[in-house]
Amino acid sequence: MKVAVLSGGGGGARFLRGVVATVDPAGVAAIVNVGDDLEVLGLSVSPDLDGVLYALAGLADEERGWGRAEETWNALATVESLGGEAWFRLGDRDLGLHLVRTQSLRDGDSLSAVTARLAAALGLETTILPATDEPLRTWLDTPNGSFDFQQWFVARAHRDPVARVRYQGASDARPAPGVLDALHEAELILIAPSNPFVSIGPILAVERIRAALERRRVPCVAVSPLIGRQAVKGPAAGMLQRLEGGTSAAHVAQCYPGLIDALVLDEADAADADAVAELGVRPLVTKTLMRDAAARRALAEAALNAVALA
Ligand code: GDP
Ligand code: CA
């Protein structure tokens, strides 16, 4: 079965592990957020692409929730001791990947080409695509100023309330090679339980990706990142409250107007199912906490079963 999955690098990456454990990984294409990308210490870092690469290669640190397992931090400790830029946490193993990516980009390769090579080197069969090869950066406008994603999220610990999210460069950005093909060939399109504003929003801000979803001929199913109206991790609930006016499953569905046919929501939010249905979106109620491999798989199956909605 051919499946295209829109994803960020955290909850999205874990969901992808469930998807590739359920269907043939070679039939899965992940279309990944690049709005978090940054240059730090002269290196090109793509945190969400790396989150997906590490998760699918079985290299992710599951407890920390980002970066690589068995990581050490000697290089960054040296940077700090020398007065260098050390606010963005880069582990030694992780740095190795950034070195390879940075060199390839400097040699003129596209982000999608570099990512494909990294995925192959890690032994992955799944297609991993940046949403775009062009610069697209998420900015947050807050009462305390405007910050790029990593300044807001990491340096300021996402404490500034967000009044507006902007996707700089999105209006000119073309989908990366392979993205539109993956969407057109898919028998099912999934939106992972990623942050709708800062993980999925930047992907949908690429006009031709949004248009491909609007004109889809196959079902598109989103998975809610909220359980009991709270985020499992991160700022999604606060952002939904401020930007959509609430944290029910219906508010999650409202983030994807005209783009989804069904929403997988947690049993803890079952009371929101009718409100979701009123938006013309089929509610699929199940357990959505990905606590282990079995839970990841069960959640993927619940979303994949929606292919029968066609
Ligand atoms: P990021 O790139 O690291 O910000 O990660 P994503 O945007 O891909 O995922 C973050 C979202 O995943 C958060 O809003 C979490 O609430 C959600 N999330 C994390 N773990 C789970 C889980 O086990 N189940 C569900 N339903 N959502 C989850
Ligand atoms: Ca991210």
Side-chain angles (χ1 to χ4, degrees), residues 8-9 33 36 48 149 198-199:
N33 174 39
D36 304 3
D48 286 8
F149 178 80
V198 293
S199 292

